[in-house]
Amino acid sequence: MIVKQAEFVKSAVFEKDYPEEIGNIEFAFVGRSNVGKSSLINSITGRNKLARTSKTPGRTQLINYFLINREVFFVDLPGYGFAKVPKAMKAEWGQTMERYLASNRKKLVFVLLDIRRVPSGEDIEMLEWLDHYNVPFKIIFTKMDKVSNNEKFKCLKEIRTKLDFSNEDVFFHSSLKNTGKDKVLEFIGEVLGENKEEETVEIEK
């Protein structure tokens, strides 16, 4: 996939406020508040200020929709984890997230994990939510510029104490060096192609 156009569409909390679906599967991004989610979205779209970045974790409190190439939505979900906010607000963010995951929208979720951190209880809970709602997902390890190649494999070994995965089934990305974005975009393009093939089969039936 080559990103030629990207624009912010709207923010939402409730399903009734989501933009109307446009036929294609949409791609959502979720992760801890300091995992670099907005930076990754900006990196893969080639737009430095598309998603708002902040030095203060937890600034994404709404579901933010971006229209890519006028054919597919990228969805920035609320961050979780380190944000220093009241428990009531965290609970509200959780409900916002769960409503989205439980919705009937056709979606695939990218779960962002910091390569330097063993997944937290909230990371594991997010993966369990995705399984519970039968939402397909892929893992993207972020901040790859922070570790050497040797450190990478040491980190992955520690992460595997909490998660079971193969290196061929996850993505590695650095927003600072812009590495790894091509593989993410290639995967998105493949999924979009498969989605169109499925639609063609449905029409023929």
Side-chain angles (χ1 to χ4, degrees), residues 163-188:
L163 290 180
D164 183 26
F165 61 91
S166 65
N167 287 5
E168 294 73 29
D169 204 38
V170 299
F171 298 96
F172 301 92
H173 181 266
S174 165
S175 296
L176 185 65
K177 296 183 178 180
N178 260 347
T179 54
K181 73 172 188 176
D182 290 342
K183 290 189 176 181
V184 175
L185 289 171
E186 181 182 350
F187 171 75
I188 289 173

Short mmCIF file of all heavy atoms in Angstrom, two decimals, residues 163-188:
data_model
loop_
_atom_site.label_atom_id
_atom_site.label_comp_id
_atom_site.label_asym_id
_atom_site.label_seq_id
_atom_site.Cartn_x
_atom_site.Cartn_y
_atom_site.Cartn_z
N LEU A 163 4.05 -13.92 26.28
CA LEU A 163 3.32 -14.07 25.02
C LEU A 163 3.95 -15.15 24.15
O LEU A 163 5.16 -15.33 24.14
CB LEU A 163 3.34 -12.75 24.23
CG LEU A 163 2.54 -11.57 24.75
CD1 LEU A 163 2.73 -10.38 23.81
CD2 LEU A 163 1.07 -11.91 24.89
N ASP A 164 3.10 -15.83 23.39
CA ASP A 164 3.57 -16.85 22.45
C ASP A 164 3.40 -16.30 21.04
O ASP A 164 2.28 -15.98 20.62
CB ASP A 164 2.76 -18.13 22.64
CG ASP A 164 3.27 -19.25 21.74
OD1 ASP A 164 4.47 -19.22 21.38
OD2 ASP A 164 2.47 -20.14 21.40
N PHE A 165 4.49 -16.17 20.30
CA PHE A 165 4.41 -15.65 18.94
C PHE A 165 5.66 -16.07 18.18
O PHE A 165 6.66 -16.48 18.77
CB PHE A 165 4.30 -14.11 18.95
CG PHE A 165 5.49 -13.43 19.57
CD1 PHE A 165 6.59 -13.05 18.82
CD2 PHE A 165 5.51 -13.19 20.95
CE1 PHE A 165 7.68 -12.44 19.41
CE2 PHE A 165 6.61 -12.58 21.55
CZ PHE A 165 7.69 -12.20 20.77
N SER A 166 5.60 -15.97 16.85
CA SER A 166 6.77 -16.21 16.02
C SER A 166 7.22 -14.88 15.43
O SER A 166 6.41 -13.99 15.18
CB SER A 166 6.45 -17.19 14.89
OG SER A 166 5.50 -16.62 13.99
N ASN A 167 8.52 -14.72 15.21
CA ASN A 167 9.05 -13.47 14.69
C ASN A 167 8.48 -13.13 13.31
O ASN A 167 8.40 -11.97 12.93
CB ASN A 167 10.58 -13.53 14.61
CG ASN A 167 11.23 -13.44 15.97
OD1 ASN A 167 10.55 -13.43 17.00
ND2 ASN A 167 12.55 -13.40 16.00
N GLU A 168 8.07 -14.16 12.57
CA GLU A 168 7.53 -13.95 11.23
C GLU A 168 6.10 -13.41 11.28
O GLU A 168 5.58 -12.94 10.27
CB GLU A 168 7.55 -15.25 10.43
CG GLU A 168 8.93 -15.80 10.10
CD GLU A 168 9.64 -16.40 11.31
OE1 GLU A 168 8.94 -16.89 12.22
OE2 GLU A 168 10.89 -16.34 11.34
N ASP A 169 5.49 -13.47 12.44
CA ASP A 169 4.08 -13.10 12.56
C ASP A 169 3.88 -11.76 13.26
O ASP A 169 2.75 -11.40 13.59
CB ASP A 169 3.32 -14.20 13.31
CG ASP A 169 1.84 -14.20 12.97
OD1 ASP A 169 1.52 -13.95 11.80
OD2 ASP A 169 1.02 -14.44 13.87
N VAL A 170 4.96 -11.03 13.51
CA VAL A 170 4.87 -9.72 14.16
C VAL A 170 5.67 -8.71 13.33
O VAL A 170 6.40 -9.08 12.42
CB VAL A 170 5.41 -9.76 15.61
CG1 VAL A 170 4.61 -10.72 16.47
CG2 VAL A 170 6.89 -10.15 15.63
N PHE A 171 5.50 -7.44 13.66
CA PHE A 171 6.20 -6.37 12.95
C PHE A 171 7.12 -5.62 13.92
O PHE A 171 6.87 -5.58 15.12
CB PHE A 171 5.20 -5.39 12.33
CG PHE A 171 4.30 -6.01 11.32
CD1 PHE A 171 3.04 -6.46 11.68
CD2 PHE A 171 4.70 -6.16 10.00
CE1 PHE A 171 2.20 -7.05 10.75
CE2 PHE A 171 3.87 -6.75 9.05
CZ PHE A 171 2.61 -7.19 9.44
N PHE A 172 8.17 -5.04 13.36
CA PHE A 172 9.13 -4.28 14.16
C PHE A 172 9.25 -2.89 13.54
O PHE A 172 9.47 -2.76 12.34
CB PHE A 172 10.50 -4.97 14.17
CG PHE A 172 10.46 -6.37 14.73
CD1 PHE A 172 10.28 -7.47 13.89
CD2 PHE A 172 10.60 -6.58 16.09
CE1 PHE A 172 10.23 -8.76 14.41
CE2 PHE A 172 10.56 -7.86 16.62
CZ PHE A 172 10.37 -8.96 15.78
N HIS A 173 9.11 -1.86 14.37
CA HIS A 173 9.04 -0.50 13.82
C HIS A 173 9.80 0.51 14.67
O HIS A 173 9.83 0.41 15.89
CB HIS A 173 7.57 -0.07 13.72
CG HIS A 173 7.38 1.29 13.14
ND1 HIS A 173 7.28 2.43 13.92
CD2 HIS A 173 7.31 1.72 11.85
CE1 HIS A 173 7.15 3.49 13.12
NE2 HIS A 173 7.16 3.08 11.87
N SER A 174 10.40 1.47 13.99
CA SER A 174 11.02 2.62 14.65
C SER A 174 10.51 3.89 13.99
O SER A 174 10.72 4.10 12.79
CB SER A 174 12.55 2.56 14.53
OG SER A 174 13.11 3.83 14.86
N SER A 175 9.82 4.71 14.76
CA SER A 175 9.34 5.99 14.23
C SER A 175 10.50 6.94 13.99
O SER A 175 10.47 7.77 13.08
CB SER A 175 8.34 6.63 15.20
OG SER A 175 7.19 5.84 15.34
N LEU A 176 11.55 6.83 14.82
CA LEU A 176 12.70 7.72 14.70
C LEU A 176 13.43 7.48 13.38
O LEU A 176 13.79 8.43 12.67
CB LEU A 176 13.65 7.52 15.87
CG LEU A 176 14.85 8.46 15.94
CD1 LEU A 176 14.39 9.90 16.17
CD2 LEU A 176 15.81 8.04 17.05
N LYS A 177 13.65 6.21 13.04
CA LYS A 177 14.38 5.88 11.82
C LYS A 177 13.46 5.51 10.65
O LYS A 177 13.93 5.26 9.55
CB LYS A 177 15.33 4.70 12.11
CG LYS A 177 16.42 5.04 13.13
CD LYS A 177 17.37 3.87 13.31
CE LYS A 177 18.49 4.21 14.28
NZ LYS A 177 19.42 3.08 14.47
N ASN A 178 12.15 5.46 10.93
CA ASN A 178 11.16 5.11 9.90
C ASN A 178 11.37 3.70 9.34
O ASN A 178 11.02 3.43 8.19
CB ASN A 178 11.16 6.12 8.75
CG ASN A 178 10.04 7.13 8.88
OD1 ASN A 178 9.12 6.95 9.67
ND2 ASN A 178 10.09 8.18 8.10
N THR A 179 11.96 2.83 10.13
CA THR A 179 12.17 1.45 9.68
C THR A 179 10.95 0.61 10.03
O THR A 179 10.31 0.82 11.06
CB THR A 179 13.42 0.84 10.32
OG1 THR A 179 13.32 0.96 11.76
CG2 THR A 179 14.67 1.55 9.86
N GLY A 180 10.65 -0.35 9.18
CA GLY A 180 9.56 -1.28 9.44
C GLY A 180 8.22 -0.85 8.89
O GLY A 180 7.29 -1.65 8.81
N LYS A 181 8.10 0.41 8.47
CA LYS A 181 6.78 0.88 8.03
C LYS A 181 6.37 0.23 6.71
O LYS A 181 5.18 0.00 6.48
CB LYS A 181 6.75 2.40 7.91
CG LYS A 181 7.49 2.99 6.74
CD LYS A 181 7.21 4.49 6.65
CE LYS A 181 7.77 5.08 5.37
NZ LYS A 181 7.43 6.51 5.24
N ASP A 182 7.34 -0.06 5.84
CA ASP A 182 7.01 -0.66 4.55
C ASP A 182 6.35 -2.03 4.71
O ASP A 182 5.41 -2.36 3.97
CB ASP A 182 8.26 -0.80 3.69
CG ASP A 182 8.79 0.55 3.21
OD1 ASP A 182 8.01 1.53 3.25
OD2 ASP A 182 9.96 0.64 2.81
N LYS A 183 6.82 -2.80 5.69
CA LYS A 183 6.23 -4.13 5.90
C LYS A 183 4.81 -4.02 6.45
O LYS A 183 3.94 -4.82 6.11
CB LYS A 183 7.11 -4.96 6.84
CG LYS A 183 8.43 -5.37 6.20
CD LYS A 183 9.19 -6.37 7.05
CE LYS A 183 10.45 -6.84 6.33
NZ LYS A 183 11.22 -7.83 7.12
N VAL A 184 4.58 -3.02 7.32
CA VAL A 184 3.23 -2.80 7.84
C VAL A 184 2.30 -2.41 6.70
O VAL A 184 1.19 -2.94 6.57
CB VAL A 184 3.22 -1.72 8.94
CG1 VAL A 184 1.80 -1.42 9.38
CG2 VAL A 184 4.06 -2.17 10.14
N LEU A 185 2.73 -1.48 5.86
CA LEU A 185 1.91 -1.03 4.73
C LEU A 185 1.69 -2.14 3.72
O LEU A 185 0.61 -2.25 3.13
CB LEU A 185 2.57 0.18 4.07
CG LEU A 185 2.53 1.48 4.87
CD1 LEU A 185 3.40 2.55 4.22
CD2 LEU A 185 1.10 1.98 5.01
N GLU A 186 2.70 -2.97 3.49
CA GLU A 186 2.56 -4.10 2.57
C GLU A 186 1.49 -5.07 3.09
O GLU A 186 0.64 -5.54 2.32
CB GLU A 186 3.90 -4.83 2.44
CG GLU A 186 3.86 -6.00 1.47
CD GLU A 186 5.20 -6.73 1.39
OE1 GLU A 186 6.20 -6.20 1.94
OE2 GLU A 186 5.24 -7.82 0.80
N PHE A 187 1.52 -5.32 4.39
CA PHE A 187 0.52 -6.20 4.99
C PHE A 187 -0.88 -5.61 4.86
O PHE A 187 -1.84 -6.31 4.50
CB PHE A 187 0.85 -6.44 6.47
CG PHE A 187 -0.23 -7.16 7.23
CD1 PHE A 187 -0.42 -8.53 7.06
CD2 PHE A 187 -1.07 -6.47 8.10
CE1 PHE A 187 -1.42 -9.20 7.76
CE2 PHE A 187 -2.07 -7.13 8.79
CZ PHE A 187 -2.25 -8.49 8.62
N ILE A 188 -1.01 -4.30 5.14
CA ILE A 188 -2.32 -3.64 5.01
C ILE A 188 -2.83 -3.75 3.57
O ILE A 188 -4.01 -4.04 3.33
CB ILE A 188 -2.21 -2.16 5.44
CG1 ILE A 188 -2.01 -2.08 6.96
CG2 ILE A 188 -3.47 -1.38 5.04
CD1 ILE A 188 -1.73 -0.67 7.48
#
